Amino acid sequence: MLARLTGGISPAALSMAYLDWACHLAAAPQRQIEIVRDAWHGAKQVAERSLQFADPNRSPWDLIKPQANDHRFSKPQWATHPFNLFAQAFLLGEDWWHKATTGIRGVDPANEAVVDFSIRQLLDIFAPSNFAATNPEVLEKTFQSGGENLIFGWQNWLADLMQVMQPGKMPINGEFVVGKTVAAAPGKVVLRNQLIELIQYAPTTERVRPEPVLIVPAWIMKYYILDLSPYNSLVRYLTDQGFTVFMISWRNPGAEDRDLAFDDYRSLGVMAALDMIGRIIPNTLLHAAGYCLGGTLLSITAAAMARDGDQRLKTITLFAAQTDFTEAGELTLFINESQVAFLEDMMWERGYLDTTQMAGAFQLLRSNDLIWSRVSRDYLLGERANPSDLMAWNADATRLPYRMHSEYLRKLFLNNDLAEGRYRVEGKPVSLSDIHTPMFVVGTLRDHVAPWKSTYKIHYEVDADVTFVLASGGHNAGIVAPPGEQGHSHQLRTKAADAPYLGPDEWQGTSPKLEGSWWPAWTEWLGQQSGAPGAPPQLGTDRSNDLGDAPGDYVHT
């Protein structure tokens, strides 16, 4: 009951973090003096600025500027008085709280990050951009429209409230329909078991590479982020480049699946898919690619296969996937012993983690962009963002079974068993250092879920040639980067297995920046690791002909 009230945040974990901060601050009188002095200095700056608003020699943002990723005050209206003063006073307050909650000797870094993060979330509620009276964009539109924007905003709020009151029911958008306009690449379901459907996509070229590509997506969301609209579908791009593509589509678990283990996703997912591909295309190696949590699972699977002498993987590709969780970004703020125990108690009754808890955690990581900017746009300006295939996919959330999610948090996040050689598959430990297969690893520059420096650690975990790509964009937009779409860039460098290690900052500073998508570089790399093209394989087997066409049944659950 308490978990429902707090949205899954452990009060005990939060209280301990604040107690750690408060006790050490109380024992640091010099730091207290500095904090008081900073507060007085900031208040004096705002008071002086308010008296000099008409001074032509004073430029906007002369006290403090918004950070580069803070778009709340980016419109030119915020440069006018008094709104510019409101914004600067707010930013000075945020900066003061950041200094007050960080840099105090003796505070555990994890607790310091929790306090800083939670204070920032509370302060963001009171940003002047969130209120009609202090937002010049809203006031301007209200005068221009005669208040019509507020009526539309009220209607938007009511529509969203109705959506919240009907959890699990997706909003209907005729523009993005699964199987018609998204997840529409032609193909066949060639395998179905209790956890996955395996989709084999139809070839689009007369000749294809002999090695197929198996994609292992995350099961936190639906697979078709990699098969959105035709112009940005990675599946279609691969088939157009002459590759046979297989995709795992995970079933959305219910309460009856509470005991599905993390290893079940390996055995019933990746290994079952590999076995079926071997029956469709016998005596061939394959390229395996994993995205996010799917990439973590693929790494575990590859390490276990290498340990056992299973040599079916010719290459391994990881998209924004972590194998070491010691620096997993702000997502780790939600993961400690107290928090995991709290989540387990919350999941126990239902048997799964509900979609709202997972979506809420991801939204908090980018609250300015995903929560407060929407409040201003939808409810104050009375506008709606233009619908997109990515938004439609993002609304198509999934659940996580109790046992799997508990094991994932404890073994990987809390204990970091995979990176430290303690993770066990079929009773025996696996080590990433057993992987000697060439790897192509993609990190994204603004990733809040899998920070790129965390994904970069693969360089010293495996004993293999690693081609690392740092792509512009975030966890999703950095991966869905079709050629021809403006705004994409990347850095790329290959490290041989026996080459000396280069740190992430040095790597970023010395690797050339290339304009455009990284997709062509990946398919070129795959081509170099592949044999000569030949006739396409058959679609499925005689026994799989009655399983239906792509995208299958599980994507609709």
Side-chain angles (χ1 to χ4, degrees):
M1 292 174 64
L2 183 60
R4 292 178 184 178
L5 179 65
T6 64
I9 302 298
S10 168
L14 201 60
S15 300
M16 292 301 293
Y18 273 90
L19 184 62
D20 186 9
W21 167 70
C23 287
H24 285 91
L25 179 59
Q30 178 63 31
R31 192 73 179 89
Q32 295 174 33
I33 293 172
E34 292 172 356
I35 290 173
V36 172
R37 184 189 61 201
D38 289 343
W40 172 252
H41 180 66
K44 181 181 177 182
Q45 284 183 301
V46 173
E48 291 176 348
R49 187 68 177 86
S50 65
L51 298 175
Q52 300 169 354
F53 70 91
D55 187 347
N57 297 320
R58 299 296 294 266
S59 61
W61 313 113
D62 55 349
L63 300 182
I64 187 172
K65 293 182 179 179
Q67 296 184 4
N69 59 351
D70 187 350
H71 306 293
R72 290 173 293 183
F73 313 115
S74 59
K75 293 295 179 66
Q77 293 95 321
W78 286 102
T80 61
H81 187 80
F83 306 106
N84 180 255
L85 183 63
F86 296 159
Q88 290 192 90
F90 172 75
L91 293 173
L92 284 171
E94 273 196 330
D95 183 64
W96 181 82
W97 272 107
H98 171 70
K99 292 177 180 177
T101 55
T102 58
I104 298 173
R105 283 175 54 82
V107 179
D108 184 276
N111 289 333
E112 178 183 270
V114 168
V115 174
D116 184 41
F117 179 83
S118 57
I119 286 290
R120 188 170 74 246
Q121 298 300 320
L122 289 172
L123 291 176
D124 283 344
I125 297 173
F126 303 101
S129 55
N130 296 339
F131 302 94
T134 54
N135 188 324
E137 301 173 62
V138 176
L139 292 175
E140 181 179 299
K141 187 161 187 179
T142 301
F143 284 119
Q144 291 176 348
S145 68
E148 190 178 57
N149 59 302
L150 300 178
I151 297 175
F152 289 152
W154 172 252
Q155 293 172 344
N156 291 340
W157 183 82
L158 287 177
D160 289 345
L161 178 63
M162 293 300 295
Q163 181 62 36
V164 171
M165 299 296 289
Q166 297 176 323
K169 184 177 180 180
M170 282 184 57
I172 298 174
N173 189 321
E175 188 175 350
F176 304 106
V177 180
V178 173
K180 294 183 179 180
T181 54
V182 295
K188 292 281 188 181
V189 176
V190 297
L191 170 68
R192 179 181 294 129
N193 61 29
Q194 70 183 82
L195 189 57
I196 72 164
E197 288 179 332
L198 180 65
I199 301 170
Q200 180 183 357
Y201 291 95
T204 58
T205 57
E206 293 184 0
R207 299 174 68 80
V208 300
R209 298 284 185 173
E211 299 87 356
V213 178
L214 169 64
I215 301 179
V216 184
W219 52 94
I220 293 175
M221 301 295 282
K222 299 292 179 68
Y223 80 87
Y224 63 89
I225 186 174
L226 300 175
D227 181 28
L228 289 171
S229 302
Y231 82 95
N232 62 0
S233 167
L234 181 59
V235 169
R236 291 177 186 259
Y237 183 76
L238 285 170
T239 56
D240 287 346
Q241 302 302 310
F243 291 96
T244 299
V245 179
F246 291 84
M247 175 79 75
I248 290 177
S249 173
W250 303 99
R251 186 171 70 85
N252 195 6
E256 69 279 6
D257 302 304
R258 65 182 301 120
D259 291 323
L260 274 174
F262 194 91
D263 195 61
D264 291 328
Y265 281 76
R266 181 194 63 86
S267 58
L268 295 173
V270 183
M271 297 306 295
L274 291 174
D275 292 341
M276 174 54 72
I277 294 171
R279 289 194 288 272
I280 297 172
I281 313 175
N283 305 317
T284 188
L285 305 180
L286 58 82
H287 306 295
Y291 184 12
C292 186
L293 181 54
T296 304
L297 177 67
L298 177 60
S299 302
I300 294 171
T301 305
M305 292 173 69
R307 178 199 65 188
D308 299 336
D310 189 336
Q311 302 297 323
R312 283 180 285 177
L313 301 183
K314 192 161 189 178
T315 69
I316 300 169
T317 298
L318 303 180
F319 303 148
Q322 298 179 98
T323 49
D324 184 307
F325 290 81
T326 52
E327 295 180 286
E330 288 184 329
L331 192 61
T332 57
L333 300 181
F334 299 92
I335 302 171
N336 53 44
E337 184 62 42
S338 173
Q339 183 62 60
V340 171
F342 201 67
L343 282 174
E344 288 173 338
D345 292 344
M346 185 176 66
M347 292 188 293
W348 177 254
E349 182 180 358
R350 289 183 174 178
Y352 56 80
L353 184 71
D354 196 12
T355 59
T356 54
Q357 269 76 40
M358 182 61 65
F362 288 138
Q363 285 181 334
L364 282 177
L365 299 182
R366 294 177 56 208
S367 59
N368 284 341
D369 293 332
L370 299 181
I371 298 177
W372 301 116
S373 65
R374 183 184 174 190
V375 167
S376 176
R377 182 191 66 239
D378 289 14
Y379 306 148
L380 299 181
L381 293 173
E383 302 171 353
R384 285 289 200 191
N386 292 327
S388 68
D389 48 12
L390 193 60
M391 290 172 60
W393 166 83
N394 193 58
D396 195 3
T398 58
R399 298 175 291 271
L400 299 177
Y402 167 80
R403 180 178 174 184
M404 184 286 302
H405 195 48
S406 176
E407 291 177 344
Y408 170 54
L409 294 178
R410 289 192 174 279
K411 293 181 179 181
L412 296 176
F413 270 96
L414 275 185
N415 299 332
N416 205 29
D417 285 347
L418 177 60
E420 298 178 12
R422 293 188 299 272
Y423 194 92
R424 305 180 77 85
V425 173
E426 296 178 346
K428 296 179 291 184
V430 297
S431 173
L432 294 171
S433 62
D434 289 337
I435 297 176
H436 309 297
T437 305
M439 300 188 71
F440 192 97
V441 180
V442 182
T444 55
L445 190 60
R446 297 189 298 275
D447 199 324
H448 295 267
V449 179
W452 78 268
K453 290 184 179 180
S454 182
T455 65
Y456 187 87
K457 293 181 178 183
I458 197 72
H459 281 89
Y460 57 77
E461 294 176 315
V462 300
D463 183 19
D465 295 347
V466 176
T467 297
F468 189 82
V469 171
L470 178 58
S472 60
H475 190 70
N476 297 326
I479 300 300
V480 183
E485 189 175 69
Q486 298 297 315
H488 295 295
S489 63
H490 63 280
Q491 295 174 271
L492 180 148
R493 178 179 288 185
T494 298
K495 175 190 173 297
D498 57 354
Y501 172 73
L502 188 67
D505 293 326
E506 292 78 10
W507 185 97
Q508 187 181 23
T510 57
S511 299
K513 184 177 181 180
L514 306 171
E515 296 299 325
S517 169
W518 58 268
W519 288 10
W522 181 44
T523 53
E524 180 182 356
W525 181 84
L526 288 176
Q528 294 170 354
Q529 310 287 335
S530 302
Q538 64 177 343
L539 277 177
T541 64
D542 294 338
R543 295 182 178 180
S544 63
N545 289 336
D546 59 345
L547 294 180
D549 296 330
D553 296 335
Y554 286 176
V555 73
H556 298 290
T557 60

